[in-house]
Amino acid sequence: AHVVEGGGGRLHSLVELKSGSLPSLPLALAGVVVSSGELQAARAGGGVFDLRLVNTSVQQNEVRYGLPTEGGLAPGVERSLLSWIGDQTVPSGEVFSRVLEPLGGGPSAQLRLSYSDGELMVWRAPKLGDHFFVFVRGEEETWPAMEETRRRQASSATQSAVGSAFALGMLNPFFSRAAGARKS
């Protein structure tokens, strides 16, 4: 889902993730990754905007598990074990800048608004082969992670060194690919 706020100047992307950790162990992690960015009209004009990544957090963290019983596994969910993660924000825009700018990238992307009405918005990314993104207006109550993000960021969200290290780990495939491209 995507949420546009601040008179169109702030864009949030919400992605629900579920991940198992170890084979044969009935344990999984789940949460909603919320990435926030700033949207500004580009100097080029013509419906072109620059979207700059600012920060990322993970909300609604859960540990899902199965306990052995006579009839198989009894499912369980623990929400409090990882709830502290929601208070952490990763300055992902800064992380991407430091890592990707030397490789020719960065924390921002250029988008061209192709269509917009009260229910539908279509963006194209000119520098990415004119790839398009279609956003459909949804009901905010279907994504409680957005309200949780607002509440936590307004009160006690802190930047997380652990979260930043995790973001760098997520970039590892990009580093490997870029390093391979530079050698040839």
Side-chain angles (χ1 to χ4, degrees), residues 13-171:
S13 171
L14 292 82
V15 177
E16 186 176 18
L17 295 178
K18 296 175 186 166
S19 172
S21 54
L22 299 171
S24 301
L25 185 64
L27 181 69
L29 304 176
V32 178
V33 177
V34 182
S35 297
S36 301
E38 294 175 350
L39 193 62
Q40 295 181 340
R43 291 183 184 160
V48 177
F49 293 80
D50 290 321
L51 177 63
R52 185 178 68 80
L53 181 61
V54 176
N55 61 41
T56 303
S57 66
V58 182
Q59 304 300 324
Q60 296 181 318
N61 299 287
E62 299 177 339
V63 175
R64 297 179 182 178
Y65 56 89
L67 296 175
T69 65
E70 287 182 23
L73 292 176
V77 175
E78 176 57 53
R79 290 182 175 88
S80 62
L81 186 63
L82 298 175
S83 64
W84 60 273
I85 291 175
D87 289 331
Q88 311 297 308
T89 60
V90 177
S92 46
E94 291 176 26
V95 171
F96 277 69
S97 272
R98 290 180 184 161
V99 172
L100 296 178
E101 282 179 358
L103 303 173
S108 62
Q110 203 169 66
L111 301 174
R112 181 173 35 87
L113 184 60
S114 297
Y115 178 82
S116 179
D117 65 16
E119 297 298 317
L120 188 70
M121 189 167 39
V122 179
W123 293 95
R124 293 199 175 263
K127 293 183 179 180
L128 297 174
D130 227 20
H131 183 81
F132 62 93
F133 302 90
V134 178
F135 303 129
V136 178
R137 183 177 303 277
E139 300 301 321
E140 191 169 330
E141 56 271 6
T142 62
W143 285 91
M146 192 62 225
E147 183 56 37
E148 185 177 344
T149 298
R150 287 187 193 113
R151 183 176 36 80
R152 288 177 183 250
Q153 287 181 349
S155 64
S156 63
T158 59
Q159 289 190 356
S160 167
V162 172
S164 297
F166 180 73
L168 286 172
M170 290 178 4
L171 289 174

